[in-house]
Amino acid sequence: MQTPAESTLSALHETLRRDGFSFVAGSVMRELFEQRHALDDWARFAASWDDLAPDAYLASVGHNRSRRYAVFAAGSSGEIVRQPHQPHYQSRDYNNLQGGIERWFEPVLPDVAGSYSLRTILEFCRDFYGDLSPDVAAWHIELHQFRIEARPGQPGQPTPEGVHRDGVNYVLVLLIDRHNIVSGTTTIHAADGRELGSFTLTHAMDAALVDDSRVFHGVTAVEAQDPGQPSHRDVLVVTLRAAA
């Protein structure tokens, strides 16, 4: 007989196979993470979004967008190893706004990369998506910390490139925090543009699990609920691509 966690994972796998995506409530994600390790350092992990760097590659909206970036290598089991800092690259086939160039973002800080919270998230991604692709022996994992701010008269753009694919196998979008914002709705689309589903990440650890080889995704702009107060949407994006 399956445990409750095993039943949840089986149901999520079936949803991904059928639909190519799934929304997972934060309470469920927390339980799945804590099956692996207690998230005792979550508060420090979440606070690290206060120390991101401006996105210098988005001259028009970069003042509303900050981030850090890291790359990891993972086998089908065992240790997940951080790789030397390197640029993020997407072809113009996947990013017509910023594709075709090497983008050097500030690195994820060492204490964040080594935190229990992040290691637990990376192991979950490797194992969950690995079960969907058992023939993949090794993964190239890219990690993005994003903060999108909304300012008076300046909505924040979580996906300035529009509805897109990332050019990888799988994606996890995990909400860390949202403060004083409205909207930020995730939409999932078929290749012909049809909307397949939508949901809004509103609580910490709410997540989108996405088969990037099958569906496209985007996020609507965020606006300040109270324009006189600071507002932000903090997410962690993890992408997995079969290593060459």
Side-chain angles (χ1 to χ4, degrees):
M1 180 179 294
Q2 289 184 322
T3 66
E6 289 170 339
S7 296
T8 299
L9 290 171
S10 294
L12 289 174
H13 282 139
E14 180 58 30
T15 301
L16 264 288
R17 292 187 183 101
R18 184 187 67 232
D19 300 333
F21 72 97
S22 181
F23 165 77
V24 187
S27 58
V28 175
M29 287 304 304
R30 177 179 283 277
E31 289 177 2
L32 293 174
F33 291 151
E34 290 184 336
Q35 288 288 318
R36 298 170 173 275
H37 199 285
L39 302 181
D40 296 334
D41 59 1
W42 180 264
R44 291 196 305 276
F45 176 66
S48 70
W49 266 254
D50 293 332
D51 191 21
L52 306 187
D55 185 339
Y57 294 89
L58 280 172
S60 61
V61 296
H63 53 275
N64 284 11
R65 181 181 177 97
S66 54
R67 66 197 295 173
R68 287 185 182 273
Y69 172 74
V71 176
F72 295 80
S76 58
S77 62
E79 184 179 4
I80 298 175
V81 180
R82 187 172 186 175
Q83 300 301 288
H85 194 53
Q86 55 195 265
H88 176 51
Y89 179 85
Q90 292 173 295
S91 74
R92 293 189 66 84
D93 293 335
Y94 296 106
N95 188 333
N96 59 15
L97 180 64
Q98 298 177 290
I101 61 172
E102 292 186 344
R103 288 181 286 164
W104 287 91
F105 299 115
E106 289 298 310
V108 170
L109 297 174
D111 60 334
V112 176
S115 66
Y116 286 128
S117 291
L118 183 58
R119 291 293 167 163
T120 298
I121 294 166
L122 293 180
E123 288 175 6
F124 169 84
C125 289
R126 185 265 311 276
D127 295 344
F128 178 81
Y129 288 129
D131 286 342
L132 290 172
S133 296
D135 294 337
V136 175
W139 295 101
H140 174 85
I141 301 176
E142 296 183 54
L143 172 74
H144 307 259
Q145 291 180 280
F146 284 111
R147 168 168 286 181
I148 308 300
E149 296 180 74
R151 300 175 182 177
Q154 296 178 338
Q157 300 289 343
T159 54
E161 65 272 46
V163 174
H164 66 286
R165 288 170 54 208
D166 288 331
V168 297
N169 294 79
Y170 300 106
V171 180
L172 166 75
V173 182
L174 185 72
L175 185 72
I176 305 301
D177 182 46
R178 59 184 281 153
H179 174 71
N180 187 36
I181 61 168
V182 294
S183 194
T185 298
T186 298
T187 59
I188 306 294
H189 301 259
D192 63 6
R194 287 179 300 113
E195 185 174 310
L196 302 176
S198 66
F199 45 84
T200 304
L201 308 181
T202 56
H203 298 95
M205 298 193 212
D206 279 359
L209 303 173
V210 180
D211 183 341
D212 190 66
S213 68
R214 293 175 53 197
V215 299
F216 291 66
H217 64 278
V219 184
T220 63
V222 297
E223 297 184 3
Q225 189 168 32
D226 178 354
Q229 299 297 321
S231 59
H232 62 255
R233 177 182 187 264
D234 293 349
V235 299
L236 177 72
V237 175
V238 181
T239 68
L240 289 83
R241 173 170 51 82

